[in-house]
Amino acid sequence: MKRLTLFLLTITAIFAFSFTALAAGTLTVRIDTKEKNGRSLVKEMGWQKASLIVTDENGTVLASDTSGQVKIRGNSTAYGEKKPYNIRFSEKTDLFGSGAAKTYCLLANCFDPTLMRNSLALSLAKTMSLPMTPDFRQAEVYMDGVFMGSYQITGKIEAGKGRVDIDVEKGDFLLECEQERVEDGVTYVTVGGFRFSVSEPEEPDEEQLAHIQKVLDELYETCGSGNYDLIQKKIDTDSFAKYYVLNEYFKSLDYGYSSTYFYCKDG
């Protein structure tokens, strides 16, 4: 009975947050590529010049940029029939009321017939008070005048106000667990069989890279010791536990293999 009660409370909380996001209204995102080739974009083409217009449910313009950019995003999803995108404004723009940024993600949810999985996962993360959980809204996307379907627009995982609150100048950093993918211009570090790409700083110098490696080596050694008191001094065990539960609950395929982010702040 206790398990059933906990389950029902969890489901109620998830849907409460999801419907709150839905009640906020669906945004409309219009992307017009300079070359009018938006519907044939592939990931390897990278950023393309585009005009961007985002309006709310009442038609009010939230952002308009004739010097924006768009590209295909994602790993496996990048090769789905319904393409996901990243859009980039020439100046920082606040679409959610939680902080301005240049880049936003348009998740296609192409492998999810319900179009709800990501919304539910992010809602549960907020319910669990997981820090740095991206804000999101539902969106209808038009590419070069053609309706592309229902999407989910979210903040990008990056350092900045309203995003991941870290200060690279003070030695903070952001890593993405990535076991196999290799991209040009990306720096990778390994520890204990785990491989990470360095997201922030974007182009670490030798000193920054040595610092990151040192932190990871010490962390790996501490976790391997099994001394929980020492482990608690090295990592935020509360957020690690919550993040594990979240991914286990939703059976995330990428967790611990790809697209899994970790940040170090104030040591």
Side-chain angles (χ1 to χ4, degrees):
M1 182 60 71
K2 288 183 178 180
R3 289 183 177 180
L4 177 60
T5 301
L6 179 59
F7 174 77
L8 291 175
L9 286 173
T10 302
I11 292 297
T12 301
I14 294 173
F15 275 94
F17 264 90
S18 294
F19 286 126
T20 297
L22 291 173
T26 299
L27 303 184
T28 299
V29 180
R30 298 185 185 276
I31 306 167
D32 289 294
T33 57
K34 182 178 180 181
E35 303 298 329
K36 300 301 179 184
N37 62 344
R39 295 171 63 198
S40 59
L41 292 180
V42 294
K43 186 173 182 179
E44 290 72 19
M45 294 172 68
W47 290 104
Q48 301 289 305
K49 294 180 180 179
S51 294
L52 308 172
I53 300 177
V54 181
T55 56
D56 64 15
E57 68 278 9
N58 298 315
T60 302
V61 176
L62 301 178
S64 179
D65 192 342
T66 58
S67 301
Q69 294 177 295
V70 61
K71 74 172 183 177
I72 300 293
R73 72 174 306 278
N75 297 319
S76 57
T77 57
Y79 302 97
E81 184 175 354
K82 182 184 177 188
K83 304 297 184 185
Y85 305 99
N86 277 351
I87 56 174
R88 178 189 287 166
F89 295 92
S90 57
E91 296 182 0
K92 289 186 176 181
T93 303
D94 189 352
L95 297 182
F96 307 128
S98 57
K102 288 186 176 182
T103 306
Y104 291 85
C105 305
L106 289 169
L107 307 181
N109 298 314
C110 60
F111 301 138
D112 174 19
T114 71
L115 304 180
M116 295 174 62
R117 185 181 177 89
N118 277 320
S119 294
L120 294 175
L122 289 171
S123 296
L124 179 57
K126 287 183 176 292
T127 302
M128 298 169 72
S129 299
L130 265 171
M132 318 303 173
T133 300
D135 291 313
F136 70 94
R137 296 278 292 276
Q138 302 307 120
E140 293 184 342
V141 175
Y142 292 81
M143 178 67 75
D144 293 330
V146 178
F147 179 58
M148 304 300 290
S150 176
Y151 280 68
Q152 182 183 23
I153 184 169
T154 75
K156 187 176 183 296
I157 305 298
E158 61 184 356
K161 186 178 180 180
R163 298 290 174 95
V164 182
D165 182 22
I166 58 175
D167 188 343
V168 173
E169 299 300 322
K170 294 183 179 180
D172 299 344
F173 56 86
L174 175 67
L175 303 179
E176 177 185 3
C177 180
E178 183 47 66
Q179 294 292 77
E180 293 186 1
R181 187 172 76 247
V182 177
E183 294 183 285
D184 293 337
V186 177
T187 302
Y188 297 91
V189 293
T190 59
V191 59
F194 290 93
R195 179 172 173 271
F196 301 88
S197 63
V198 181
S199 297
E200 300 283 355
E202 291 185 7
E203 298 180 1
D205 56 31
E206 291 186 7
E207 183 178 351
Q208 290 172 321
L209 193 57
H211 166 66
I212 293 171
Q213 189 68 60
K214 181 175 182 292
V215 171
L216 289 179
D217 288 340
E218 291 178 353
L219 175 60
Y220 183 74
E221 182 179 351
T222 300
C223 288
S225 72
N227 187 322
Y228 190 62
D229 290 334
L230 290 179
I231 291 172
Q232 284 186 300
K233 294 179 181 179
K234 289 287 185 181
I235 68 174
D236 180 354
T237 52
D238 184 60
S239 72
F240 265 74
K242 288 179 178 180
Y243 197 54
Y244 172 78
V245 170
L246 177 73
N247 282 275
E248 182 67 17
Y249 189 85
F250 283 96
K251 301 300 181 186
S252 171
L253 294 178
D254 285 341
Y255 180 61
Y257 176 79
S258 177
S259 303
T260 308
Y261 288 86
F262 300 87
Y263 69 93
C264 178
K265 180 179 174 65
D266 299 330

